[in-house]
Amino acid sequence: MSRLRAVLVALAMVVAGGLVAIIPATAASAAACTAAWQASTVYWGGNQASRNGRNYQAKWWTQGEAPPGTTGVWQDLGPCDGGGGNPGNPGGGCNAPNWAAGTFYAAGTVVRYTNGQYYIAEHDNPGYDPIISTWYWEPYTCGGGGPTHPPPTGGFVVSEAQFNQMFPGRNSFYTYSGLVAALSAYPAFAKTGSTTVQRQEAAAFLANVHHETGGLVHIVEQNTANYPHYCDPNQPYGCPAGQAAYYGRGPIQLSWNFNYNAAGNALGLPLLTNPWLVQNDAAVAWKTGIWYWMTQNGPGTMTAHNAMVNGAGFGQTIRSINGSIECNGGNPGQVQSRVTRYQQFVGILGVPAGNNLYC
């Protein structure tokens, strides 16, 4: 009698005798704790650390924020047994499972694809192909380096997948193609200095844009009561489009007749007589945002572009946009909102945030 048949016969005898043997499953052991979190250590998206008997995984670049944190940067992976060095942590050598179509993968999961390369899930997905569904997956470097973020096509340091990750709920008006098309107006934007500086500038611009528009949701200013206030009749050209025509529009919420006039002159667009172009053409909208970023000091002492490429830091970009309304203690909550978003975005782009984050 074969071994399998003997087992089946024995099982039938037990059941027939009115007894069912229940064999307890081996209890699953808790994951071993990864290396303990250190305040001085830089953690990139996908890196793991343990604290107070639990493992955590960073969603983007972070330093100094103890897990579980307050900004959402840390994903709680559950309790650990303190054994040290989790063999399932791909940051320590990529002991990751093979990707399988149709398998659910939570954000932060690392897999080995059929080409031998590793990928990390940037968003929950039901087993999408890592080299096709690039919004859901990013290439991953073993050894704790985090997502590799290869240079995107089109010459911009932010890929479309990264842009979508930054603005998952954006208005369809704010297209990535419109942003890329706008870059030609100011070739120095996100193209000055080292790759790190370029990505920091792009992250700073997009973080401020996120704040100004509620995540690229709003195209025009929401408080319509303010609309008539943006006409300065003392300008020699007046307000030819009408007194209430120069309300905030676009990613930086361009407002006032004199700003529409200056931006239009710089960009070669009839914005003074047709300010609605900013809310009807995505490339024009992006160009006005980049125009302000590159050329206007605002209430600050330098342009936001110069602040980022010359080392003044992200805090000075806030000052150039809103000055004492937020800076110098004017509204620390709004400043923190911008800083937190900037830290998230540099994490997505794989660079540190740099110094002087506040104003």
Side-chain angles (χ1 to χ4, degrees), residues 151-242:
T153 58
F156 189 36
V157 294
V158 180
S159 70
E160 186 168 8
Q162 292 165 340
F163 178 75
N164 289 335
Q165 184 180 353
M166 293 171 176
F167 302 99
R170 64 183 169 84
N171 190 304
S172 59
F173 170 78
Y174 290 110
T175 60
Y176 178 77
S177 59
L179 172 56
V180 172
L183 300 179
S184 61
Y186 290 94
F189 171 70
K191 283 287 189 180
T192 304
S194 67
T195 300
T196 294
V197 171
Q198 293 174 27
R199 294 184 177 184
Q200 286 173 336
E201 181 180 11
F205 173 75
L206 293 173
N208 280 300
V209 161
H210 191 291
H211 184 87
E212 295 293 321
T213 61
L216 286 184
V217 170
H218 303 303
I219 302 171
V220 301
E221 184 175 350
Q222 298 300 289
N223 187 357
T224 57
N226 281 341
Y227 285 16
H229 300 160
Y230 295 120
C231 173
D232 180 0
N234 297 318
Q235 299 297 329
Y237 40 78
C239 299

Side-chain angles (χ1 to χ4, degrees), residues 14-140:
V14 171
V15 173
L19 298 174
V20 178
I22 300 176
I23 303 174
T26 302
S29 59
C33 290
T34 59
W37 174 82
Q38 299 289 333
S40 60
T41 299
V42 171
Y43 294 94
W44 303 86
N47 288 169
Q48 296 183 9
S50 64
R51 185 168 182 264
N52 296 334
R54 301 187 73 84
N55 281 330
Y56 296 88
Q57 180 166 283
K59 297 178 183 178
W60 55 80
W61 185 96
T62 184
Q63 183 181 23
E65 181 175 347
T70 58
T71 65
V73 66
W74 289 107
Q75 177 184 356
D76 190 339
L77 300 180
C80 58
D81 66 7
N86 181 358
N89 175 15
C94 272
N95 181 18
N98 292 327
W99 170 80
T103 299
F104 175 81
Y105 293 105
T109 303
V110 175
V111 297
R112 185 178 186 274
Y113 190 59
T114 54
N115 60 5
Q117 303 300 311
Y118 293 90
Y119 296 84
I120 185 169
E122 295 290 324
H123 303 275
D124 294 352
N125 70 87
Y128 293 143
D129 191 305
I131 65 172
I132 296 176
S133 301
T134 55
W135 187 71
Y136 290 94
W137 295 96
E138 286 282 357
Y140 189 87

